[in-house]
Amino acid sequence: MRAQFVLSETWIGLRRNLTMTIAVITTVAISLTLFGAGLLVNQQVSEMRSYWDERITLTVYMCTDISPTQTCQENGAATDEDRESLEATLNGLNEVASFDYLTAAEAWQDFQDRLGTSNEALANAAQEGDIPDNYRVQLTDPSHYDTVRNAVEGAPGVDTVSDDQRVLEQFFGLLDGLRAAALVLAGVQLAAAALLIGNTIRLSAYSRRRETGIMRLVGASNFYIQLPFLLEGAVAGLIGGLIASGFIVATRYTLLTQIEDWFQFDVALGAGSLMYVIGVSVILGVLLCTITSFLTLRRYLKI
């Protein structure tokens, strides 16, 4: 009987303040969508960083007869002795996990294989010999780039040294910015949702002040009087969280899938990561609304 009374009072409160309830649900849904999107981007960036940390290489390009740098023009193309000296240097560095040597023909073919399907015009524009022979150096840790670069840069026969990681840092910086913006907006929206929830609960308590007064007189406990109002907030948070879940799933299969297609590598977030983000968002919505309702009632219902 008590449970039925509490549920009926909860339903009456939601229906009586329908406009405010809808506003709360909408605000919670928007804020949790932004929060969930921020979490998804954060997990995607972490997956991508882990993926590339295992594959990032430092590339040492050797001098050729057509190299434009002053060092190569003065000293000419790299000789076999230059290559042997460079290999000895790389073998002596603890920061180097492994390295492979690609001839000019192999480097050109690797370029064709990488871009032949995604950018055919660029692939066709490159001629064999345009890409010099080079060493692909795998590091034990990407943070050791500067150490290895300083060891090989300026060595006889070396033209330039490039690092794949620095090319990707701008992209990761963009994703980090999107994540930060989403989380900041989510925080603003959550604060607005908390204010709306507090105002809604306050109006609901005021409109039912006669009922709560009678309950006080008959000896009802504080928790029993507050429970319908707490459930109002929890239900609004739950509905907002469920709506946000749909938008989070849409974000996963639109924005993040597009990012994966751009870079053409398999670092897709699994169902477990998606369910984790949805679960955290729904729980946050329920807790936010319930705690805000409780704090509002403590100030408003002086029992």
Side-chain angles (χ1 to χ4, degrees):
M1 185 67 180
R2 288 188 174 184
Q4 183 179 358
F5 172 77
V6 170
L7 293 176
S8 65
E9 286 296 303
T10 301
W11 170 247
I12 290 172
L14 291 171
R15 187 178 58 185
R16 183 176 295 175
N17 301 291
L18 183 60
T19 303
M20 292 295 293
T21 300
I22 293 175
V24 169
I25 292 173
T26 302
T27 306
V28 170
I30 294 173
S31 58
L32 291 180
T33 298
L34 292 171
F35 177 77
L39 288 183
L40 283 178
V41 172
N42 181 58
Q43 293 203 19
Q44 183 73 73
V45 171
S46 298
E47 289 287 338
M48 292 170 67
R49 285 187 184 276
S50 176
Y51 177 91
W52 280 109
D53 281 348
E54 298 175 357
R55 292 164 176 80
I56 283 177
T57 58
L58 180 147
T59 305
V60 182
Y61 292 99
M62 307 303 291
C63 290
T64 65
D65 293 329
I66 60 173
S67 296
T69 59
Q70 183 177 355
T71 302
C72 292
Q73 290 180 354
E74 291 177 354
N75 300 322
T79 63
D80 291 338
E81 289 76 13
D82 294 335
R83 296 184 182 90
E84 291 175 1
S85 175
L86 179 61
E87 291 176 8
T89 300
L90 293 174
N91 283 321
L93 293 173
N94 294 328
E95 294 82 2
V96 174
S98 63
F99 63 88
D100 296 308
Y101 174 70
L102 275 68
T103 65
E106 290 171 339
W108 176 80
Q109 186 59 52
D110 179 68
F111 180 80
Q112 296 294 315
D113 294 339
R114 289 172 179 264
L115 295 181
T117 56
S118 61
N119 197 331
E120 187 174 350
L122 181 59
N124 293 335
Q127 302 296 320
E128 186 171 352
D130 290 345
I131 303 175
D133 59 318
N134 57 78
Y135 287 88
R136 304 285 175 85
V137 183
Q138 187 72 42
L139 306 179
T140 56
D141 188 325
S143 63
H144 295 153
Y145 165 76
D146 288 331
T147 302
V148 179
R149 183 196 62 185
N150 293 334
V152 300
E153 199 170 38
V158 172
D159 183 5
T160 57
V161 180
S162 69
D163 178 21
D164 296 342
Q165 187 178 29
R166 298 199 172 188
V167 177
L168 293 172
E169 279 305 316
Q170 290 184 347
F171 174 71
F172 286 137
L174 173 62
L175 290 185
D176 287 339
L178 290 175
R179 176 189 59 186
L183 292 178
V184 169
L185 288 175
V188 173
Q189 289 287 341
L190 287 172
L195 294 175
L196 272 175
I197 293 162
N199 191 43
T200 301
I201 296 300
R202 193 158 46 244
L203 288 174
S204 181
Y206 179 79
S207 65
R208 292 180 355 217
R209 62 191 182 281
R210 187 182 300 275
E211 291 92 331
T212 56
I214 294 173
M215 293 174 70
R216 292 176 194 172
L217 293 176
V218 299
S221 65
N222 291 355
F223 177 74
Y224 189 69
I225 295 175
Q226 294 177 359
L227 186 56
F229 302 103
L230 296 177
L231 288 178
E232 285 181 37
V235 169
L238 178 61
I239 296 174
L242 293 176
I243 294 173
S245 299
F247 288 110
I248 291 172
V249 172
T251 301
R252 163 64 186 87
Y253 290 103
T254 53
L255 175 62
L256 297 187
T257 299
Q258 184 63 50
I259 291 174
E260 294 160 14
D261 291 341
W262 284 342
F263 282 80
Q264 297 184 344
F265 48 73
D266 185 17
V267 287
L269 292 179
S273 298
L274 181 60
M275 294 305 298
Y276 167 78
V277 172
I278 290 175
V280 169
S281 299
V282 172
I283 292 172
L284 176 62
V286 174
L287 288 178
L288 172 72
C289 296
T290 304
I291 293 173
T292 304
S293 300
F294 176 73
L295 295 177
T296 301
L297 291 171
R298 285 191 63 185
R299 294 189 58 186
Y300 187 78
L301 291 181
K302 303 295 184 179
I303 301 175

